[in-house]
Amino acid sequence: MATNNATVASHCPSPMKATSNGVFQGDSPLDFALPLLILQICLVVVVTRLLAFLLKPMRQPRVIAEIVGGILLGPSVLGRNKSYLNALFPAKSLTVLDTLANIGLLFFLFLVGLELDPKSLRRTGKKALGIALAGISLPFVIGIGTSFVLRATISKGVSEAPFLVFMGVALSITAFPVLARILAELKLLTTDVGRMAMSAAAVNDMAAWILLALAIALSSSGRSPIVSLWVLLCGSGFVIGCILVLPYFFDWMAQRCPEGEPVNELFVCATLATVLAAGFVTDTIGIHALFGAFVVGILVPKEGPFASALVEKVEDLVSGLFLPLYFVSSGLKTNVATISGLRSWGLLVLVIINACFGKIVGTVVVSLLCKVPLQETLALGFLMNTKGLVELIVLNIGKDRKVLNDQTFAIMVLMAIFTTFITTPLVMAVYKPAKTMARADYKHKTIKRKDPDTQLRLLVCFHSTRNIPSMLNLIEASRGIGKREGLCLYALHLMELTERPSAILMVQKAKKNGLPFWNKGRNYSDADQIVIAFEAYEKLSRVSIRPMTTISPFSNIHEDICTSAERKRSAMIILPFHKHQRVDGTWETTRADFRLINKRVLEHAPCSVGILVDRGLGGSTHVAASNVSSAITMLFFGGHDDQEALAYALRMAEHPGVNLTIVRFFPASSEDVGEIVSVNINDSALEPKFESEDEIFLSEVKQKIMNNSSIKLVERGVNNYEGIVNVVKEYSGCNFFLVGRKPEGQVAVTLNFVKRECSELGSACNMLTYPEFSTSASVLVVQQYHAHRILSRGSSTRVDVYSEEDLGNNS
């Protein structure tokens, strides 16, 4: 008996202690659980992030890098070296690794449930519902057929019913988060194809979880069929109990979380504990702990700051550190070497063909019956064929339940990688939507024009509510007078598409359009306030305003801005400066990325561009038209940009509450420096023999403002930089300055002495933003459009921008 015990002990690895005493006392950190786990996490994060960086130029979603990284670290590649595998991923450490990975998965699925709103499923369109059902049923049937082939070859002896259901579920899944990321990368989120694909994928995702629960219940029938029935009944009872109890619990907490105040830490802790408790219950029932977390996430109320606080507390840690461990845990179970021989590789090809055929054909047929264009139909088919995390969850549960053997598991993992990898290139190949107004040669690309009474179209960009009051006050002063066709404004909200999984759902922020998702995070309440602010201003004024949103990585969001300006035939793009002024007068960078956006727009814009350097134009609130009283100063040195700035200043001067002073600088001798030259329009002696373009433009301006008491033109002679500064300081008490970005002429040369901290502002605006230049006036620096500036938008296929009217047609 003692001999038998000793034999058993020799085959069982001794448990690992948590912490070591250190290398100086002879302990290797790799022999202890905590330091080894830390090393494993660091290795996993480095490898997966490096692969994600390498795959980014191919526009592959991060899940591909994580799956491939797991396989590379496992027995398929690096694990072939047994010394490496035994040192970094010894068998005795896998229990700790798997436990931590499943905790990460548990909370990630809680976040997935938090993103889904079951009530909104009823608003899913008939087309999307039909596509979703076809994308589930046909692949499920084909998956069952494929399971018979596999059972007859490489999966002999497995339980028939569970294997049929697992194969059907594995082939019928569409990974919604991965699909959304691909759509975002291709800038298709708000196109018809994108909206339909996301709606169908959401329905597919919900159905997949139900089918997976059924598969798990069937796989537990090792003793008697009655066990599966008990699992299903208890699982259904758990869901019903949660529906009856948890909403009241969460609503009570949500009501005690007012907007704008931090959420009580006790509420967050209680919710996360509930997630763990629900996972314990469902694991006890025999389904899986992740189902309990998913159900709790669905039942959390989606309105208010409570849910966004939960996301903020959990998401980064879970998706950044813990979730990649699950992919490595899966990769350690995947041994590609088990796929050997012609028969095994033939079966891999068969599984891939069946998976693609079922998804693509089922989606294409139903889409054509719904009269979807062929190009969009093919794109939908390829998009619905995307796999991801849910696919791995299904396969890993099947592997743990002994439903899938090593060879079948490896085949299915490779199938998931292949089908997801080919999605992006195939969609880019078949779906090339026409670029509406692409590189259009529309007439009015500048403020300066022959007929000033034509409609002025502005594209005003903003990042947050901080920009809104000043932008509205600038718009109010720019709206002209009644005799004109008026001002048409496109208000473009710039929102960053980050690597966070939840960032994808920002596309729903402008209006509920029937998609079964929710807008979470504090940015969404800001977005609602922004839309309300512009709608209120439109009702109070005669300005036509169309709120729009673009959601892109900040690295290429300038493409969306430029293309939007082109499609909307804008005469000027107005951007906020990337810094804001502090109380002590110094400038603080809001975000460095904003500066890069401004520079790229200046380079590629299809129209004129203005950058608003805000010092609180009109205060922190919008000023009503009847209360506007602004003194505006336009500094004119010469050149195209200055002419454009002057044209805009004249437009603003038409507002009854605006008084405009045009300061024209000219080179002067030392005795004329600083002298104020009165302008007599009728004095021909002032006209030079040869008139430059600036002189011609100024003469036209003089004729227009002759009888306008609200506009004053003064000419100041200066011969150095100090002279310019002294003249400008005389007008430092005004409310607003307008300057050209690149002034030209003899006087402008003296501005080269200005230290240009921000080259995008130009020399004159840099002078006005110096801390020692005491003024509270905001500045608009203007760049006029020139035909030689070529709009370059890379390989973007579609602008991810939509307006209220666009959404209204799809709701």
Side-chain angles (χ1 to χ4, degrees), residues 625-682:
S626 59
N627 297 328
V628 172
S629 179
S630 298
I632 297 177
T633 302
M634 193 276 145
L635 306 180
F636 189 90
F637 296 91
H640 294 92
D641 291 350
D642 279 28
Q643 292 178 27
E644 185 75 355
L646 180 52
Y648 193 75
L650 293 173
R651 173 86 188 203
M652 298 178 72
E654 294 177 1
H655 194 288
V658 170
N659 292 300
L660 171 64
T661 301
I662 305 169
V663 182
R664 192 252 178 130
F665 294 91
F666 66 90
S669 59
S670 58
E671 61 268 18
D672 295 330
V673 171
E675 181 180 352
I676 301 177
V677 180
S678 60
V679 178
N680 186 348
I681 305 299
N682 299 317

Short mmCIF file of all heavy atoms in Angstrom, two decimals, residues 625-682:
data_model
loop_
_atom_site.label_atom_id
_atom_site.label_comp_id
_atom_site.label_asym_id
_atom_site.label_seq_id
_atom_site.Cartn_x
_atom_site.Cartn_y
_atom_site.Cartn_z
N ALA A 625 -28.59 86.51 -29.92
CA ALA A 625 -28.32 87.48 -30.98
C ALA A 625 -28.52 88.90 -30.51
O ALA A 625 -27.75 89.81 -30.83
CB ALA A 625 -29.22 87.17 -32.18
N SER A 626 -29.57 89.13 -29.71
CA SER A 626 -29.87 90.49 -29.26
C SER A 626 -28.85 91.02 -28.25
O SER A 626 -28.76 92.21 -28.02
CB SER A 626 -31.27 90.52 -28.63
OG SER A 626 -31.32 89.62 -27.55
N ASN A 627 -28.05 90.13 -27.67
CA ASN A 627 -27.09 90.54 -26.64
C ASN A 627 -25.65 90.59 -27.16
O ASN A 627 -24.73 90.89 -26.41
CB ASN A 627 -27.14 89.58 -25.45
CG ASN A 627 -28.50 89.60 -24.77
OD1 ASN A 627 -29.16 90.64 -24.75
ND2 ASN A 627 -28.91 88.46 -24.23
N VAL A 628 -25.47 90.26 -28.44
CA VAL A 628 -24.12 90.25 -29.00
C VAL A 628 -23.57 91.68 -29.08
O VAL A 628 -24.22 92.57 -29.63
CB VAL A 628 -24.10 89.59 -30.39
CG1 VAL A 628 -22.73 89.77 -31.04
CG2 VAL A 628 -24.44 88.11 -30.27
N SER A 629 -22.42 91.88 -28.52
CA SER A 629 -21.73 93.17 -28.61
C SER A 629 -20.24 92.89 -28.62
O SER A 629 -19.63 92.69 -27.57
CB SER A 629 -22.12 94.08 -27.44
OG SER A 629 -21.44 95.31 -27.52
N SER A 630 -19.67 92.82 -29.82
CA SER A 630 -18.29 92.40 -29.96
C SER A 630 -17.50 93.41 -30.75
O SER A 630 -17.98 93.97 -31.74
CB SER A 630 -18.22 91.04 -30.66
OG SER A 630 -18.88 90.03 -29.90
N ALA A 631 -16.28 93.63 -30.29
CA ALA A 631 -15.32 94.45 -31.03
C ALA A 631 -14.32 93.50 -31.66
O ALA A 631 -13.61 92.78 -30.96
CB ALA A 631 -14.63 95.43 -30.10
N ILE A 632 -14.27 93.50 -32.99
CA ILE A 632 -13.42 92.58 -33.73
C ILE A 632 -12.34 93.36 -34.45
O ILE A 632 -12.61 94.41 -35.06
CB ILE A 632 -14.26 91.75 -34.74
CG1 ILE A 632 -15.27 90.89 -33.98
CG2 ILE A 632 -13.37 90.89 -35.61
CD1 ILE A 632 -16.19 90.09 -34.89
N THR A 633 -11.12 92.85 -34.39
CA THR A 633 -9.99 93.49 -35.05
C THR A 633 -9.40 92.52 -36.06
O THR A 633 -9.11 91.36 -35.71
CB THR A 633 -8.91 93.90 -34.04
OG1 THR A 633 -9.48 94.80 -33.08
CG2 THR A 633 -7.75 94.59 -34.75
N MET A 634 -9.26 92.99 -37.30
CA MET A 634 -8.64 92.18 -38.34
C MET A 634 -7.29 92.79 -38.70
O MET A 634 -7.21 93.97 -39.07
CB MET A 634 -9.55 92.12 -39.57
CG MET A 634 -9.16 91.06 -40.60
SD MET A 634 -7.88 91.62 -41.73
CE MET A 634 -6.96 90.12 -41.96
N LEU A 635 -6.22 92.02 -38.55
CA LEU A 635 -4.87 92.49 -38.84
C LEU A 635 -4.51 92.09 -40.27
O LEU A 635 -4.39 90.89 -40.56
CB LEU A 635 -3.87 91.90 -37.85
CG LEU A 635 -4.18 92.11 -36.36
CD1 LEU A 635 -3.10 91.47 -35.49
CD2 LEU A 635 -4.31 93.60 -36.03
N PHE A 636 -4.33 93.10 -41.14
CA PHE A 636 -4.10 92.82 -42.55
C PHE A 636 -2.68 93.21 -42.93
O PHE A 636 -2.29 94.38 -42.86
CB PHE A 636 -5.10 93.60 -43.42
CG PHE A 636 -5.07 93.21 -44.87
CD1 PHE A 636 -5.89 92.21 -45.34
CD2 PHE A 636 -4.22 93.84 -45.77
CE1 PHE A 636 -5.87 91.83 -46.68
CE2 PHE A 636 -4.18 93.48 -47.11
CZ PHE A 636 -5.01 92.46 -47.56
N PHE A 637 -1.89 92.20 -43.31
CA PHE A 637 -0.53 92.43 -43.78
C PHE A 637 -0.43 92.28 -45.29
O PHE A 637 0.39 92.92 -45.93
CB PHE A 637 0.44 91.44 -43.11
CG PHE A 637 0.53 91.61 -41.63
CD1 PHE A 637 -0.31 90.90 -40.77
CD2 PHE A 637 1.45 92.47 -41.07
CE1 PHE A 637 -0.22 91.05 -39.40
CE2 PHE A 637 1.55 92.63 -39.69
CZ PHE A 637 0.71 91.92 -38.86
N GLY A 638 -1.24 91.38 -45.85
CA GLY A 638 -1.22 91.11 -47.27
C GLY A 638 -1.14 89.62 -47.54
O GLY A 638 -0.76 88.82 -46.68
N GLY A 639 -1.54 89.22 -48.74
CA GLY A 639 -1.48 87.82 -49.11
C GLY A 639 -2.86 87.18 -49.15
O GLY A 639 -3.86 87.75 -48.70
N HIS A 640 -2.90 85.97 -49.70
CA HIS A 640 -4.18 85.27 -49.88
C HIS A 640 -4.86 84.95 -48.56
O HIS A 640 -6.07 85.09 -48.42
CB HIS A 640 -3.95 83.99 -50.68
CG HIS A 640 -3.52 84.23 -52.09
ND1 HIS A 640 -2.20 84.29 -52.46
CD2 HIS A 640 -4.24 84.43 -53.22
CE1 HIS A 640 -2.11 84.51 -53.76
NE2 HIS A 640 -3.33 84.60 -54.26
N ASP A 641 -4.08 84.50 -47.57
CA ASP A 641 -4.68 84.15 -46.29
C ASP A 641 -5.27 85.37 -45.60
O ASP A 641 -6.36 85.29 -44.99
CB ASP A 641 -3.64 83.48 -45.38
CG ASP A 641 -3.23 82.11 -45.88
OD1 ASP A 641 -3.88 81.59 -46.81
OD2 ASP A 641 -2.26 81.54 -45.35
N ASP A 642 -4.60 86.49 -45.70
CA ASP A 642 -5.13 87.72 -45.09
C ASP A 642 -6.39 88.19 -45.81
O ASP A 642 -7.34 88.69 -45.18
CB ASP A 642 -4.07 88.83 -45.12
CG ASP A 642 -3.07 88.68 -43.98
OD1 ASP A 642 -2.87 87.54 -43.54
OD2 ASP A 642 -2.50 89.70 -43.55
N GLN A 643 -6.43 88.03 -47.12
CA GLN A 643 -7.64 88.38 -47.86
C GLN A 643 -8.83 87.51 -47.43
O GLN A 643 -9.95 88.00 -47.28
CB GLN A 643 -7.40 88.22 -49.36
CG GLN A 643 -6.43 89.22 -49.96
CD GLN A 643 -6.19 88.98 -51.43
OE1 GLN A 643 -7.05 88.45 -52.13
NE2 GLN A 643 -5.01 89.35 -51.91
N GLU A 644 -8.57 86.23 -47.20
CA GLU A 644 -9.62 85.33 -46.75
C GLU A 644 -10.10 85.71 -45.35
O GLU A 644 -11.30 85.72 -45.06
CB GLU A 644 -9.11 83.89 -46.76
CG GLU A 644 -10.17 82.84 -46.43
CD GLU A 644 -11.15 82.58 -47.55
OE1 GLU A 644 -11.08 83.29 -48.59
OE2 GLU A 644 -11.99 81.69 -47.40
N ALA A 645 -9.14 86.04 -44.47
CA ALA A 645 -9.51 86.46 -43.12
C ALA A 645 -10.33 87.74 -43.15
O ALA A 645 -11.30 87.90 -42.39
CB ALA A 645 -8.25 86.65 -42.27
N LEU A 646 -9.97 88.67 -44.03
CA LEU A 646 -10.72 89.92 -44.15
C LEU A 646 -12.12 89.67 -44.69
O LEU A 646 -13.10 90.29 -44.24
CB LEU A 646 -9.97 90.91 -45.06
CG LEU A 646 -10.62 92.26 -45.29
CD1 LEU A 646 -11.00 92.95 -43.98
CD2 LEU A 646 -9.71 93.17 -46.13
N ALA A 647 -12.25 88.77 -45.66
CA ALA A 647 -13.57 88.43 -46.19
C ALA A 647 -14.46 87.86 -45.09
O ALA A 647 -15.66 88.17 -45.01
CB ALA A 647 -13.43 87.44 -47.34
N TYR A 648 -13.87 87.04 -44.22
CA TYR A 648 -14.65 86.47 -43.11
C TYR A 648 -15.00 87.56 -42.10
O TYR A 648 -16.11 87.57 -41.55
CB TYR A 648 -13.84 85.36 -42.45
CG TYR A 648 -14.66 84.50 -41.50
CD1 TYR A 648 -15.57 83.57 -41.99
CD2 TYR A 648 -14.54 84.63 -40.12
CE1 TYR A 648 -16.32 82.79 -41.13
CE2 TYR A 648 -15.29 83.86 -39.26
CZ TYR A 648 -16.18 82.94 -39.78
OH TYR A 648 -16.93 82.17 -38.93
N ALA A 649 -14.07 88.47 -41.86
CA ALA A 649 -14.34 89.57 -40.92
C ALA A 649 -15.48 90.45 -41.42
O ALA A 649 -16.34 90.88 -40.64
CB ALA A 649 -13.07 90.41 -40.74
N LEU A 650 -15.52 90.72 -42.73
CA LEU A 650 -16.61 91.53 -43.30
C LEU A 650 -17.94 90.80 -43.15
O LEU A 650 -18.98 91.43 -42.94
CB LEU A 650 -16.32 91.82 -44.77
CG LEU A 650 -15.12 92.74 -45.02
CD1 LEU A 650 -14.83 92.82 -46.52
CD2 LEU A 650 -15.38 94.14 -44.46
N ARG A 651 -17.90 89.49 -43.27
CA ARG A 651 -19.13 88.71 -43.06
C ARG A 651 -19.61 88.87 -41.62
O ARG A 651 -20.80 89.07 -41.37
CB ARG A 651 -18.84 87.24 -43.37
CG ARG A 651 -19.97 86.28 -43.02
CD ARG A 651 -20.96 86.17 -44.13
NE ARG A 651 -22.13 85.39 -43.72
CZ ARG A 651 -22.93 84.78 -44.57
NH1 ARG A 651 -22.68 84.82 -45.87
NH2 ARG A 651 -23.99 84.14 -44.16
N MET A 652 -18.71 88.79 -40.67
CA MET A 652 -19.07 88.94 -39.27
C MET A 652 -19.57 90.36 -38.97
O MET A 652 -20.46 90.55 -38.14
CB MET A 652 -17.87 88.62 -38.38
CG MET A 652 -17.37 87.18 -38.49
SD MET A 652 -15.91 86.86 -37.46
CE MET A 652 -16.66 86.88 -35.83
N ALA A 653 -19.01 91.35 -39.68
CA ALA A 653 -19.38 92.75 -39.42
C ALA A 653 -20.80 93.06 -39.82
O ALA A 653 -21.35 94.10 -39.41
CB ALA A 653 -18.42 93.68 -40.16
N GLU A 654 -21.43 92.19 -40.58
CA GLU A 654 -22.83 92.42 -40.95
C GLU A 654 -23.77 92.20 -39.77
O GLU A 654 -24.93 92.62 -39.81
CB GLU A 654 -23.22 91.49 -42.10
CG GLU A 654 -22.47 91.81 -43.39
CD GLU A 654 -22.81 90.83 -44.50
OE1 GLU A 654 -23.65 89.93 -44.24
OE2 GLU A 654 -22.28 90.96 -45.60
N HIS A 655 -23.29 91.53 -38.74
CA HIS A 655 -24.13 91.33 -37.56
C HIS A 655 -24.30 92.67 -36.85
O HIS A 655 -23.32 93.42 -36.66
CB HIS A 655 -23.46 90.32 -36.61
CG HIS A 655 -24.38 89.79 -35.56
ND1 HIS A 655 -24.81 90.56 -34.49
CD2 HIS A 655 -24.96 88.57 -35.40
CE1 HIS A 655 -25.59 89.84 -33.73
NE2 HIS A 655 -25.71 88.61 -34.26
N PRO A 656 -25.50 93.04 -36.46
CA PRO A 656 -25.73 94.36 -35.85
C PRO A 656 -24.97 94.58 -34.55
O PRO A 656 -24.77 95.72 -34.13
CB PRO A 656 -27.24 94.39 -35.62
CG PRO A 656 -27.67 92.96 -35.64
CD PRO A 656 -26.76 92.27 -36.59
N GLY A 657 -24.54 93.51 -33.88
CA GLY A 657 -23.83 93.67 -32.61
C GLY A 657 -22.32 93.63 -32.74
O GLY A 657 -21.62 93.55 -31.73
N VAL A 658 -21.80 93.69 -33.97
CA VAL A 658 -20.37 93.57 -34.20
C VAL A 658 -19.81 94.87 -34.76
O VAL A 658 -20.37 95.45 -35.70
CB VAL A 658 -20.07 92.40 -35.17
CG1 VAL A 658 -18.60 92.42 -35.59
CG2 VAL A 658 -20.42 91.06 -34.53
N ASN A 659 -18.71 95.34 -34.18
CA ASN A 659 -17.96 96.48 -34.69
C ASN A 659 -16.59 95.99 -35.13
O ASN A 659 -15.86 95.38 -34.33
CB ASN A 659 -17.81 97.57 -33.62
CG ASN A 659 -19.14 98.22 -33.29
OD1 ASN A 659 -19.80 98.79 -34.16
ND2 ASN A 659 -19.55 98.11 -32.03
N LEU A 660 -16.25 96.26 -36.38
CA LEU A 660 -15.02 95.73 -36.96
C LEU A 660 -14.02 96.86 -37.21
O LEU A 660 -14.35 97.90 -37.77
CB LEU A 660 -15.33 95.02 -38.29
CG LEU A 660 -14.13 94.58 -39.13
CD1 LEU A 660 -13.31 93.52 -38.38
CD2 LEU A 660 -14.60 94.04 -40.49
N THR A 661 -12.78 96.60 -36.81
CA THR A 661 -11.67 97.49 -37.12
C THR A 661 -10.66 96.73 -37.95
O THR A 661 -10.16 95.67 -37.53
CB THR A 661 -10.98 98.01 -35.84
OG1 THR A 661 -11.94 98.72 -35.05
CG2 THR A 661 -9.84 98.94 -36.19
N ILE A 662 -10.38 97.24 -39.15
CA ILE A 662 -9.40 96.62 -40.04
C ILE A 662 -8.11 97.42 -39.92
O ILE A 662 -8.08 98.61 -40.23
CB ILE A 662 -9.88 96.61 -41.50
CG1 ILE A 662 -11.25 95.92 -41.62
CG2 ILE A 662 -8.86 95.92 -42.40
CD1 ILE A 662 -11.91 96.11 -42.96
N VAL A 663 -7.05 96.79 -39.45
CA VAL A 663 -5.75 97.44 -39.31
C VAL A 663 -4.86 96.96 -40.43
O VAL A 663 -4.45 95.78 -40.45
CB VAL A 663 -5.12 97.15 -37.93
CG1 VAL A 663 -3.79 97.88 -37.80
CG2 VAL A 663 -6.07 97.54 -36.81
N ARG A 664 -4.58 97.85 -41.38
CA ARG A 664 -3.74 97.49 -42.51
C ARG A 664 -2.33 98.02 -42.28
O ARG A 664 -2.13 99.21 -42.03
CB ARG A 664 -4.33 98.08 -43.80
CG ARG A 664 -3.67 97.49 -45.06
CD ARG A 664 -2.77 98.51 -45.73
NE ARG A 664 -2.11 97.94 -46.90
CZ ARG A 664 -2.09 98.52 -48.07
NH1 ARG A 664 -2.72 99.67 -48.25
NH2 ARG A 664 -1.44 97.97 -49.07
N PHE A 665 -1.36 97.15 -42.30
CA PHE A 665 0.02 97.54 -42.07
C PHE A 665 0.72 97.78 -43.40
O PHE A 665 0.53 97.03 -44.36
CB PHE A 665 0.77 96.43 -41.30
CG PHE A 665 0.27 96.22 -39.91
CD1 PHE A 665 -0.73 95.30 -39.64
CD2 PHE A 665 0.81 96.94 -38.85
CE1 PHE A 665 -1.19 95.10 -38.35
CE2 PHE A 665 0.35 96.74 -37.55
CZ PHE A 665 -0.65 95.83 -37.31
N PHE A 666 1.54 98.84 -43.44
CA PHE A 666 2.33 99.09 -44.64
C PHE A 666 3.73 99.52 -44.21
O PHE A 666 3.93 100.06 -43.12
CB PHE A 666 1.66 100.16 -45.51
CG PHE A 666 1.61 101.53 -44.88
CD1 PHE A 666 2.63 102.45 -45.07
CD2 PHE A 666 0.52 101.90 -44.08
CE1 PHE A 666 2.58 103.70 -44.49
CE2 PHE A 666 0.47 103.15 -43.51
CZ PHE A 666 1.50 104.06 -43.71
N PRO A 667 4.73 99.30 -45.05
CA PRO A 667 6.10 99.70 -44.70
C PRO A 667 6.24 101.21 -44.71
O PRO A 667 5.71 101.90 -45.58
CB PRO A 667 6.95 99.05 -45.80
CG PRO A 667 6.02 98.86 -46.95
CD PRO A 667 4.66 98.61 -46.36
N ALA A 668 6.94 101.73 -43.70
CA ALA A 668 7.06 103.18 -43.59
C ALA A 668 8.47 103.54 -43.17
O ALA A 668 9.20 102.73 -42.58
CB ALA A 668 6.05 103.72 -42.58
N SER A 669 8.85 104.79 -43.46
CA SER A 669 10.13 105.31 -43.00
C SER A 669 10.05 105.57 -41.51
O SER A 669 8.98 105.56 -40.91
CB SER A 669 10.47 106.59 -43.75
OG SER A 669 9.46 107.57 -43.55
N SER A 670 11.17 105.88 -40.89
CA SER A 670 11.22 106.04 -39.44
C SER A 670 10.33 107.16 -38.95
O SER A 670 9.74 107.08 -37.89
CB SER A 670 12.66 106.27 -38.99
OG SER A 670 13.19 107.42 -39.64
N GLU A 671 10.21 108.26 -39.74
CA GLU A 671 9.38 109.36 -39.27
C GLU A 671 7.89 109.09 -39.41
O GLU A 671 7.06 109.76 -38.81
CB GLU A 671 9.73 110.65 -40.03
CG GLU A 671 9.50 110.57 -41.53
CD GLU A 671 10.79 110.13 -42.25
OE1 GLU A 671 11.68 109.57 -41.55
OE2 GLU A 671 10.89 110.30 -43.47
N ASP A 672 7.52 108.08 -40.21
CA ASP A 672 6.10 107.76 -40.39
C ASP A 672 5.65 106.60 -39.51
O ASP A 672 4.49 106.20 -39.57
CB ASP A 672 5.83 107.40 -41.85
CG ASP A 672 6.06 108.57 -42.79
OD1 ASP A 672 5.86 109.71 -42.33
OD2 ASP A 672 6.44 108.34 -43.96
N VAL A 673 6.55 106.03 -38.72
CA VAL A 673 6.22 104.84 -37.94
C VAL A 673 5.11 105.16 -36.95
O VAL A 673 5.19 106.13 -36.20
CB VAL A 673 7.46 104.30 -37.21
CG1 VAL A 673 7.07 103.20 -36.24
CG2 VAL A 673 8.48 103.80 -38.21
N GLY A 674 4.09 104.32 -36.95
CA GLY A 674 3.00 104.45 -36.00
C GLY A 674 1.98 105.49 -36.39
O GLY A 674 0.96 105.64 -35.72
N GLU A 675 2.21 106.24 -37.46
CA GLU A 675 1.26 107.29 -37.84
C GLU A 675 -0.02 106.67 -38.37
O GLU A 675 0.00 105.73 -39.17
CB GLU A 675 1.89 108.17 -38.92
CG GLU A 675 0.98 109.31 -39.36
CD GLU A 675 1.63 110.17 -40.44
OE1 GLU A 675 2.83 109.95 -40.70
OE2 GLU A 675 0.94 111.02 -41.00
N ILE A 676 -1.15 107.24 -37.93
CA ILE A 676 -2.44 106.77 -38.40
C ILE A 676 -2.78 107.51 -39.68
O ILE A 676 -2.87 108.75 -39.70
CB ILE A 676 -3.54 106.99 -37.36
CG1 ILE A 676 -3.18 106.25 -36.07
CG2 ILE A 676 -4.88 106.54 -37.87
CD1 ILE A 676 -4.18 106.47 -34.96
N VAL A 677 -2.98 106.80 -40.76
CA VAL A 677 -3.28 107.39 -42.05
C VAL A 677 -4.78 107.33 -42.29
O VAL A 677 -5.37 106.26 -42.27
CB VAL A 677 -2.54 106.64 -43.19
CG1 VAL A 677 -2.86 107.27 -44.52
CG2 VAL A 677 -1.05 106.63 -42.94
N SER A 678 -5.39 108.46 -42.44
CA SER A 678 -6.82 108.48 -42.74
C SER A 678 -7.04 108.06 -44.17
O SER A 678 -6.25 108.37 -45.07
CB SER A 678 -7.39 109.88 -42.51
OG SER A 678 -6.75 110.80 -43.35
N VAL A 679 -8.09 107.37 -44.42
CA VAL A 679 -8.35 106.81 -45.74
C VAL A 679 -9.46 107.61 -46.40
O VAL A 679 -10.58 107.69 -45.89
CB VAL A 679 -8.76 105.33 -45.63
CG1 VAL A 679 -9.07 104.77 -47.00
CG2 VAL A 679 -7.65 104.53 -44.97
N ASN A 680 -9.17 108.21 -47.51
CA ASN A 680 -10.16 108.92 -48.31
C ASN A 680 -10.42 108.10 -49.55
O ASN A 680 -9.55 107.99 -50.43
CB ASN A 680 -9.63 110.31 -48.68
CG ASN A 680 -10.69 111.16 -49.37
OD1 ASN A 680 -11.72 110.64 -49.79
ND2 ASN A 680 -10.41 112.45 -49.48
N ILE A 681 -11.60 107.57 -49.64
CA ILE A 681 -11.92 106.66 -50.73
C ILE A 681 -11.82 107.36 -52.08
O ILE A 681 -11.44 106.77 -53.07
CB ILE A 681 -13.33 106.07 -50.54
CG1 ILE A 681 -13.44 105.41 -49.17
CG2 ILE A 681 -13.65 105.06 -51.61
CD1 ILE A 681 -12.51 104.30 -48.95
N ASN A 682 -12.18 108.65 -52.11
CA ASN A 682 -12.27 109.36 -53.38
C ASN A 682 -10.96 110.01 -53.80
O ASN A 682 -10.89 110.68 -54.84
CB ASN A 682 -13.36 110.43 -53.31
CG ASN A 682 -14.72 109.83 -53.03
OD1 ASN A 682 -15.06 108.81 -53.63
ND2 ASN A 682 -15.48 110.44 -52.13
#
